[in-house]
Amino acid sequence: MNLLYLLGLSALSTAFSPVNNTNHIFNAIHSSMRQWGSSLNHNGMSFFLASVPEGTTLYHGSSHPNTLIETGYVAFDPEHALVFARPPHHPKHPLHDDRVQQKIVTSKHGDPIEDQAGWLHTYQTTKELRLVYVDGMSAGKSHIGTLDSQDRILFNDTIPSGGVSQETERAKAVCRISADEWDNRIDGVIRMAAGFEIILCAPEENLVAERVTKSRIHKPKHHGDHKPQQGKPGELLRVVTSRYNGIGGDRVKVNYDHFVSVYDSDLNVFPADSSHSTQPRLTHLSKASIQKIRQRLTDLVMDHDVHGKVNWQAIADMTVQQYGRRLQDLVSSPRFRTMKSLKAEIAQMWETFVDLDYSSADVEIQRCTNRFIPHAASKTSLAHNVTYTINEQICSTLATALYDDHDHTVAIGRLQELMDYLSWTVWKECRDCRDDEFCAIPIWPQGSLEDYEDPRCQRYNSAYAEKNDYWGPIFH
Ligand SMILES: *[C@@H]1O[C@H](CO)[C@@H](O)[C@H](O)[C@H]1NC(C)=O
Ligand SMILES: *[C@@H]1O[C@H](CO)[C@@H](O)[C@H](O)[C@H]1NC(C)=O
Ligand SMILES: *[C@@H]1O[C@H](CO)[C@@H](O)[C@H](O)[C@H]1NC(C)=O
């Protein structure tokens, strides 16, 4: 039995999958521009071309009312930008520090008010923005790998060591690279931490200011207990987690026809000694191997338009929606504790692929595999390759459990092995959070290892109150 189990495993990782890391590339497509999957798979390994339409509203929070020039950070939601609308020389990172010394001033009515106001800028894009999307928690300033892909590949190891302290350098580097190496084909970079942001070049040309208003974050009053609210404001958490399944409104369109992923290479990005061993790292790789990937990024920008033809994420969604809950049900429900009941259930899933006049497992697997693949799509793209291969792995595993397996433990082990390989982020979703709760996972700089391993519903106004040990110290 153990031998069969091992054979099943090696079949998954070699016979069906000539592109390395097929599962991770499929998941990168599925998680792209989504707060949920990009928070869980936080060390991004891929670069995509993306666009933001003309007339899209974007926001910037600042200590001053002057509109942006040269380079700037803009957010998709005002609650996100408002976090940065605060007086200058703020002592610490606003998302993290609840002991900020607030200057007490007296208003004209004589009441002491906390003068912590800044400026909220509201802009619209004057043209379609052409962007490079750096996936994962790429705006998270941590030591655990969230900055690897941009600092090593995009910036070619030229940014001095630093996290928060090097953010201005990173923004300048984006625009310098676009001007010097990319023939100004790119207007900026999309990254994500608690919310998606754009590092935008030439904001004075790419944006028009709609309004600049004096604003501040309202700190809720605390009932009885004198403990100030920890962490992110509830309004920010509400909007950030409302983007779990996508930024919405077609505000960002990703080109999936052509993209660059370190996963699609011969590099081993899972070094054995990595502290977060389930997450990929790039720190151990040689300069020469990094240079090769960087050249592929430059080629991507120079050779391709930001627009793609096929929305491979929408196609990946069909696969995940079809099999996500179903596979979990098959391996965990007491209804399928016998081989007979398990086979009956899989046979039911398989009915539409069977021709009663001519039975052939191979033909049925082909029908199942092709089910979601658009026939007009180019068959040479990486997205086609991994989407096809993942569907084929699922379909052939189901066929084997249906036609070949006789032992319940072997069949369940095979399905469990498939699920371990797929590692879909939907399997971490909580069920049934209340209206004032959300499913809490680590979102830089907050969250615990427990939030990562076993996410639970937490209240917006008191989330992340326990230890926040997931990301380690903020990389300053
Ligand atoms: C990246 O860095 C390497 C070594 O420091 C250098 O040889 C190379 O020219 C750089 N590439 C670019 C495109 O700046
Ligand atoms: C996959 O990775 C291995 C070792 O890391 C390498 O030998 C092989 O060439 C890679 N395959 C592809 C298709 O890149
Ligand atoms: C995926 O790409 C690999 C490597 O180029 C190739 O061997 C394999 O046949 C492709 N699979 C599909 C389904 O296109």
Side-chain angles (χ1 to χ4, degrees):
M1 189 186 81
N2 268 338
L3 183 63
L4 277 178
Y5 191 74
L6 284 172
L7 284 174
L9 174 61
S10 68
L12 273 182
S13 51
T14 57
F16 294 109
S17 140
V19 168
N20 286 331
N21 302 302
T22 295
N23 52 341
H24 301 301
I25 300 170
F26 179 88
N27 289 343
I29 293 171
H30 183 259
S31 294
S32 59
M33 288 309 298
R34 291 178 174 165
Q35 185 77 42
W36 177 262
S38 302
S39 299
L40 292 170
N41 296 330
H42 48 73
N43 293 355
M45 291 285 117
S46 307
F47 299 89
F48 296 86
L49 296 172
S51 61
V52 168
E54 177 183 348
T56 301
T57 304
L58 297 169
Y59 305 88
H60 173 76
S62 171
S63 59
H64 57 78
N66 311 345
T67 54
L68 291 168
I69 50 164
E70 290 170 8
T71 57
Y73 286 84
V74 286
F76 289 88
D77 288 295
E79 294 85 352
H80 184 188
L82 188 60
V83 173
F84 302 94
R86 59 179 195 267
H89 311 305
H90 206 270
K92 282 211 170 176
H93 195 276
L95 298 180
H96 222 228
D97 188 35
D98 50 275
R99 294 155 302 162
V100 174
Q101 294 300 304
Q102 284 139 5
K103 202 167 79 185
I104 306 293
V105 298
T106 304
S107 77
K108 62 186 169 198
H109 305 294
D111 316 319
I113 58 161
E114 296 164 333
D115 182 15
Q116 48 180 341
W119 301 88
L120 178 63
H121 302 207
T122 303
Y123 295 98
Q124 276 162 20
T125 55
T126 55
K127 66 173 187 56
E128 179 185 71
L129 303 180
R130 304 154 302 171
L131 304 165
V132 167
Y133 165 45
V134 183
D135 75 344
M137 185 73 70
S138 49
K141 272 68 77 177
S142 81
H143 291 278
I144 65 170
T146 49
L147 293 167
D148 281 6
S149 66
Q150 63 196 287
D151 281 358
R152 289 230 63 192
I153 299 170
L154 175 59
F155 301 134
N156 193 25
D157 296 327
T158 58
I159 303 287
S161 175
V164 177
S165 62
Q166 295 304 321
E167 284 291 86
T168 308
E169 283 309 309
R170 289 191 182 90
K172 282 188 195 156
V174 165
C175 303
R176 193 173 55 235
I177 290 166
S178 180
D180 296 350
E181 296 179 47
W182 295 346
D183 198 17
N184 281 310
R185 289 172 61 86
I186 289 297
D187 300 311
V189 160
I190 305 185
R191 306 190 305 176
M192 186 202 84
F196 287 88
E197 65 182 28
I198 300 175
I199 295 174
L200 185 64
C201 310
E204 66 277 17
E205 287 166 29
N206 291 321
L207 300 175
V208 59
E210 187 181 304
R211 61 179 181 272
V212 176
T213 50
K214 193 165 191 184
S215 310
R216 72 181 175 98
I217 288 188
H218 170 74
K219 288 235 166 190
K221 291 220 163 51
H222 302 283
H223 311 287
D225 67 340
H226 296 287
K227 207 172 152 204
Q229 186 188 347
Q230 302 276 328
K232 297 183 185 74
E235 285 314 310
L236 175 61
L237 270 181
R238 280 186 151 83
V239 76
V240 165
T241 58
S242 74
R243 309 299 177 219
Y244 267 165
N245 203 36
I247 188 76
D250 281 341
R251 291 182 290 177
V252 176
K253 288 211 184 78
V254 176
N255 179 346
Y256 297 102
D257 294 345
H258 304 280
F259 62 96
V260 168
S261 181
V262 192
Y263 285 133
D264 173 30
S265 72
D266 56 1
L267 303 174
N268 178 13
V269 294
F270 295 102
D273 59 347
S274 153
S275 52
H276 286 61
S277 57
T278 59
Q279 297 281 343
R281 292 300 309 259
L282 299 176
T283 40
H284 59 290
L285 297 175
S286 74
K287 194 129 185 136
S289 51
I290 290 286
Q291 282 293 109
K292 278 192 209 149
I293 308 277
R294 191 174 195 278
Q295 187 57 48
R296 284 168 51 196
L297 174 59
T298 292
D299 293 345
L300 176 77
V301 169
M302 298 308 288
D303 296 348
H304 296 286
D305 185 68
V306 291
H307 302 277
K309 281 207 182 80
V310 181
N311 183 353
W312 285 102
Q313 184 181 49
I315 294 158
D317 279 346
M318 288 196 284
T319 298
V320 174
Q321 284 154 7
Q322 184 74 15
Y323 301 110
R325 297 185 72 167
R326 205 67 188 274
L327 286 172
Q328 189 158 268
D329 195 33
L330 288 177
V331 300
S332 62
S333 168
R335 291 179 290 128
F336 310 124
R337 279 218 185 113
T338 64
M339 198 59 196
K340 192 158 173 266
S341 59
L342 182 66
K343 281 202 184 206
E345 184 75 3
I346 297 174
Q348 213 173 295
M349 295 169 72
W350 205 248
E351 270 164 3
T352 57
F353 309 123
V354 175
D355 178 350
L356 295 174
D357 287 335
Y358 175 74
S359 91
S360 156
D362 286 345
V363 173
E364 292 163 16
I365 291 169
Q366 284 309 304
R367 290 180 187 137
C368 171
T369 301
N370 279 307
R371 167 175 193 165
F372 298 121
I373 311 289
H375 288 275
S378 158
K379 293 183 176 43
T380 58
S381 75
L382 181 61
H384 179 281
N385 192 304
V386 301
T387 309
Y388 183 94
T389 306
I390 288 295
N391 277 285
E392 186 177 54
Q393 287 175 352
I394 295 166
C395 296
S396 56
T397 303
L398 289 173
T400 304
L402 178 62
Y403 291 130
D404 300 344
D405 285 344
H406 302 291
D407 183 303
H408 183 259
T409 315
V410 170
I412 293 291
R414 191 184 302 287
L415 294 170
Q416 189 62 61
E417 199 64 43
L418 173 70
M419 289 177 70
D420 291 347
Y421 174 75
L422 295 174
S423 301
W424 287 347
T425 59
V426 292
W427 290 321
K428 292 220 169 180
E429 283 170 7
C430 316
R431 301 271 165 84
D432 297 332
C433 294
R434 296 178 349 179
D435 289 344
D436 63 341
E437 295 176 338
F438 69 104
C439 186
I441 50 173
I443 296 175
W444 183 84
Q446 293 183 293
S448 64
L449 203 51
E450 199 189 330
D451 296 331
Y452 181 82
E453 268 151 19
D454 185 22
R456 290 168 298 118
C457 299
Q458 295 187 31
R459 290 171 64 185
Y460 291 109
N461 288 333
S462 58
Y464 305 121
E466 311 292 313
K467 62 179 176 199
N468 284 296
D469 58 358
Y470 186 79
W471 304 100
I474 289 192
F475 187 15
H476 284 292

